[in-house]
Coordinates of all heavy atoms in Angstrom, one line a residue:
C205 N 3.7 -5.7 -5.7 CA 5.0 -5.4 -6.4 C 5.6 -6.6 -7.1 O 6.0 -6.6 -8.1 CB 6.0 -4.8 -5.3 SG 5.6 -3.2 -4.8
N206 N 5.5 -7.8 -6.3 CA 6.0 -9.1 -6.9 C 5.2 -9.5 -8.2 O 5.7 -9.9 -9.2 CB 6.1 -10.2 -5.9 CG 7.2 -10.0 -5.0 OD1 8.4 -10.4 -5.4 ND2 7.0 -9.5 -3.8
A207 N 3.9 -9.2 -8.1 CA 3.1 -9.6 -9.3 C 3.4 -8.8 -10.5 O 3.5 -9.4 -11.6 CB 1.6 -9.4 -8.9
V208 N 3.7 -7.5 -10.3 CA 4.0 -6.8 -11.5 C 5.4 -7.1 -12.0 O 5.7 -6.8 -13.3 CB 3.8 -5.3 -11.3 CG1 2.4 -4.9 -11.0 CG2 4.8 -4.7 -10.2
N209 N 6.2 -7.7 -11.4 CA 7.6 -8.1 -11.7 C 7.5 -9.5 -12.1 O 8.6 -10.2 -12.3 CB 8.6 -7.9 -10.6 CG 9.0 -6.4 -10.6 OD1 9.3 -5.7 -11.5 ND2 8.9 -5.9 -9.3
G210 N 6.3 -10.2 -12.2 CA 6.3 -11.5 -12.8 C 6.7 -12.6 -11.8 O 6.9 -13.8 -12.1
R211 N 6.6 -12.3 -10.6 CA 7.1 -13.4 -9.4 C 5.9 -13.8 -8.8 O 5.4 -13.5 -7.7 CB 8.0 -12.7 -8.5 CG 9.3 -12.3 -9.0 CD 10.4 -11.7 -8.1 NE 11.6 -11.7 -8.6 CZ 12.1 -10.5 -9.1 NH1 11.4 -9.4 -9.0 NH2 13.3 -10.5 -9.6
E212 N 5.1 -14.7 -9.5 CA 3.8 -15.2 -9.1 C 3.9 -15.8 -7.8 O 3.0 -15.7 -7.0 CB 3.2 -16.2 -10.1 CG 2.0 -16.8 -9.9 CD 0.8 -15.9 -9.8 OE1 0.9 -14.8 -10.7 OE2 -0.2 -15.9 -9.3
A213 N 4.8 -16.9 -7.6 CA 4.8 -17.6 -6.3 C 4.9 -16.8 -5.1 O 4.3 -16.9 -3.9 CB 5.7 -18.7 -6.4
I214 N 5.9 -15.8 -5.2 CA 6.1 -14.8 -4.2 C 4.9 -13.9 -4.0 O 4.5 -13.6 -2.8 CB 7.4 -14.0 -4.4 CG1 8.6 -15.0 -4.5 CG2 7.6 -12.8 -3.4 CD1 10.0 -14.3 -5.0
A215 N 4.3 -13.4 -5.0 CA 3.1 -12.6 -4.9 C 2.0 -13.3 -4.1 O 1.4 -12.8 -3.2 CB 2.6 -12.1 -6.3
R216 N 1.8 -14.5 -4.4 CA 0.9 -15.3 -3.8 C 1.2 -15.5 -2.3 O 0.2 -15.5 -1.5 CB 0.6 -16.7 -4.4 CG -0.1 -16.5 -5.7 CD -0.4 -18.1 -6.3 NE -1.1 -17.8 -7.5 CZ -2.3 -18.4 -7.8 NH1 -3.0 -18.9 -6.8 NH2 -2.9 -18.4 -8.9
S217 N 2.4 -15.6 -2.0 CA 2.8 -15.9 -0.7 C 2.6 -14.7 0.1 O 2.0 -14.6 1.2 CB 4.4 -16.3 -0.6 OG 4.6 -17.5 -1.2
F218 N 2.9 -13.4 -0.4 CA 2.6 -12.3 0.3 C 1.2 -11.9 0.4 O 0.6 -11.4 1.4 CB 3.4 -11.1 -0.4 CG 4.9 -11.0 0.2 CD1 5.7 -11.2 -0.8 CD2 5.2 -10.7 1.4 CE1 7.1 -11.1 -0.4 CE2 6.4 -10.6 1.9 CZ 7.4 -10.8 0.9
S219 N 0.4 -12.4 -0.7 CA -1.0 -12.2 -0.6 C -1.6 -13.1 0.6 O -2.5 -12.5 1.4 CB -1.6 -12.6 -1.8 OG -3.1 -12.5 -1.8
R220 N -1.2 -14.2 0.9 CA -1.7 -15.1 2.0 C -1.3 -14.5 3.3 O -2.0 -14.5 4.2 CB -0.9 -16.5 1.8 CG -1.6 -17.2 0.6 CD -1.1 -18.7 0.5 NE -1.6 -19.3 -0.7 CZ -0.8 -19.6 -1.7 NH1 0.4 -19.5 -1.7 NH2 -1.3 -20.2 -2.7
L221 N 0.0 -13.9 3.3 CA 0.5 -13.2 4.5 C -0.4 -12.1 4.9 O -0.7 -11.9 6.0 CB 1.9 -13.0 4.4 CG 3.0 -14.0 4.4 CD1 4.4 -13.3 4.1 CD2 3.1 -14.7 5.9
A222 N -0.8 -11.4 3.8 CA -1.7 -10.2 4.1 C -3.0 -10.6 4.8 O -3.6 -10.2 5.8 CB -1.9 -9.3 2.8
F223 N -3.5 -11.7 4.1 CA -4.8 -12.2 4.5 C -4.7 -12.8 6.0 O -5.5 -12.7 6.8 CB -5.2 -13.3 3.5 CG -6.7 -13.8 3.9 CD1 -7.8 -13.0 3.6 CD2 -6.9 -15.0 4.5 CE1 -9.2 -13.4 3.8 CE2 -8.2 -15.4 4.7 CZ -9.3 -14.6 4.4
A224 N -3.6 -13.5 6.3 CA -3.4 -14.0 7.6 C -3.3 -13.0 8.6 O -3.8 -13.2 9.7 CB -2.1 -15.0 7.5
A225 N -2.6 -11.9 8.3 CA -2.3 -10.7 9.2 C -3.9 -10.1 9.5 O -4.0 -9.7 10.8 CB -1.6 -9.8 8.6
D226 N -4.7 -10.1 8.6 CA -6.1 -9.4 8.8 C -7.2 -10.0 7.7 O -7.2 -9.6 6.5 CB -6.0 -7.9 8.7 CG -7.2 -7.2 8.9 OD1 -8.3 -7.9 9.1 OD2 -7.2 -6.0 8.9
K227 N -7.9 -10.9 8.3 CA -8.8 -11.6 7.3 C -9.9 -10.7 6.7 O -10.5 -10.9 5.8 CB -9.4 -12.7 8.0 CG -8.6 -13.8 8.3 CD -9.1 -15.1 9.1 CE -8.1 -16.2 9.4 NZ -6.8 -16.0 9.4
D228 N -10.0 -9.5 7.4 CA -10.9 -8.6 6.9 C -10.5 -7.5 6.0 O -11.0 -6.5 5.7 CB -11.8 -7.9 8.1 CG -12.6 -8.9 8.8 OD1 -13.2 -9.8 8.2 OD2 -12.7 -8.8 10.0
H229 N -9.2 -7.5 5.7 CA -8.4 -6.5 5.0 C -8.9 -6.6 3.6 O -8.8 -7.6 2.9 CB -6.8 -6.8 5.1 CG -6.0 -5.7 4.4 ND1 -5.5 -6.0 3.2 CD2 -5.6 -4.6 4.9 CE1 -4.7 -4.9 2.9 NE2 -4.9 -4.0 3.9
N230 N -9.4 -5.4 3.1 CA -10.0 -5.4 1.8 C -9.0 -5.5 0.6 O -9.4 -6.1 -0.3 CB -10.8 -4.0 1.6 CG -10.0 -2.8 1.7 OD1 -8.8 -2.9 2.0 ND2 -10.5 -1.6 1.6
L231 N -7.8 -5.1 0.7 CA -6.9 -5.3 -0.3 C -6.5 -6.7 -0.6 O -6.4 -7.3 -1.7 CB -5.7 -4.4 -0.2 CG -4.7 -4.4 -1.4 CD1 -5.5 -4.1 -2.7 CD2 -3.6 -3.3 -1.3
S232 N -6.2 -7.4 0.6 CA -5.8 -8.8 0.5 C -6.9 -9.7 0.0 O -6.9 -10.6 -0.7 CB -5.2 -9.3 1.9 OG -6.1 -9.3 2.8
R233 N -8.2 -9.3 0.4 CA -9.3 -9.9 0.0 C -9.6 -9.7 -1.6 O -9.9 -10.6 -2.4 CB -10.6 -9.6 0.7 CG -10.5 -10.0 2.1 CD -11.7 -9.4 2.9 NE -12.9 -10.2 2.5 CZ -14.0 -10.3 3.1 NH1 -14.1 -9.6 4.3 NH2 -15.1 -10.9 2.6
L234 N -9.3 -8.5 -2.0 CA -9.3 -8.2 -3.5 C -8.4 -9.2 -4.2 O -8.6 -9.7 -5.3 CB -9.1 -6.8 -3.8 CG -9.0 -6.3 -5.1 CD1 -10.4 -6.5 -6.0 CD2 -8.6 -4.9 -5.2
L235 N -7.1 -9.2 -3.8 CA -6.1 -10.0 -4.4 C -6.6 -11.5 -4.4 O -6.4 -12.2 -5.5 CB -4.8 -9.9 -3.7 CG -4.1 -8.6 -3.8 CD1 -2.8 -8.6 -2.8 CD2 -3.7 -8.3 -5.2
G236 N -7.1 -12.0 -3.3 CA -7.7 -13.4 -3.4 C -8.9 -13.5 -4.4 O -8.9 -14.5 -5.0
M237 N -9.7 -12.4 -4.4 CA -10.8 -12.6 -5.5 C -10.3 -12.7 -6.7 O -10.9 -13.2 -7.8 CB -11.8 -11.4 -5.1 CG -12.6 -11.6 -3.9 SD -13.7 -10.2 -3.6 CE -14.7 -10.3 -4.9
A238 N -9.1 -11.9 -7.1 CA -8.7 -12.0 -8.4 C -8.4 -13.4 -9.0 O -8.5 -13.7 -10.1 CB -7.4 -11.1 -8.4
W239 N -8.1 -14.2 -7.9 CA -7.9 -15.6 -8.4 C -9.2 -16.3 -8.7 O -9.3 -17.3 -9.6 CB -7.1 -16.4 -7.3 CG -5.9 -16.0 -7.0 CD1 -5.1 -15.2 -7.7 CD2 -5.2 -16.2 -5.7 NE1 -3.9 -14.9 -6.9 CE2 -4.0 -15.6 -5.7 CE3 -5.6 -17.0 -4.5 CZ2 -3.0 -15.6 -4.6 CZ3 -4.7 -17.0 -3.5 CH2 -3.4 -16.3 -3.6
L240 N -10.2 -16.0 -8.0 CA -11.5 -16.6 -8.0 C -12.3 -16.1 -9.2 O -13.3 -16.9 -9.6 CB -12.2 -16.3 -6.7 CG -11.7 -16.8 -5.5 CD1 -12.5 -16.5 -4.3 CD2 -11.5 -18.5 -5.6
V241 N -12.1 -15.0 -9.8 CA -12.8 -14.6 -11.0 C -12.3 -14.9 -12.3 O -12.4 -14.2 -13.3 CB -13.2 -13.1 -10.8 CG1 -14.0 -12.8 -9.7 CG2 -12.0 -12.3 -10.9
G242 N -11.5 -16.1 -12.4 CA -11.1 -16.4 -13.7 C -9.7 -16.1 -13.8 O -9.0 -16.4 -14.9
R243 N -8.9 -15.4 -13.0 CA -7.5 -15.0 -13.2 C -6.8 -16.0 -12.2 O -6.8 -15.9 -11.0 CB -7.4 -13.6 -12.8 CG -8.0 -12.7 -13.6 CD -7.2 -12.9 -15.0 NE -7.6 -11.7 -15.8 CZ -7.2 -11.7 -17.1 NH1 -6.5 -12.6 -17.7 NH2 -7.5 -10.7 -17.9
N244 N -6.0 -16.9 -12.9 CA -5.2 -17.9 -12.2 C -4.0 -17.3 -11.6 O -3.3 -17.9 -10.8 CB -5.0 -19.1 -13.0 CG -6.2 -19.9 -13.2 OD1 -7.1 -19.8 -12.5 ND2 -6.3 -20.5 -14.5

Side-chain angles (χ1 to χ4, degrees):
C205 291
N206 280 287
V208 298
N209 284 311
R211 294 186 170 97
E212 180 69 25
I214 297 170
R216 284 181 181 252
S217 294
F218 278 115
S219 180
R220 288 184 190 111
L221 286 170
F223 187 76
D226 182 354
K227 291 178 181 23
D228 294 321
H229 185 258
N230 60 358
L231 184 54
S232 62
R233 291 176 71 163
L234 176 66
L235 291 170
M237 287 177 61
W239 300 337
L240 299 176
V241 295
R243 289 295 190 187
N244 295 327

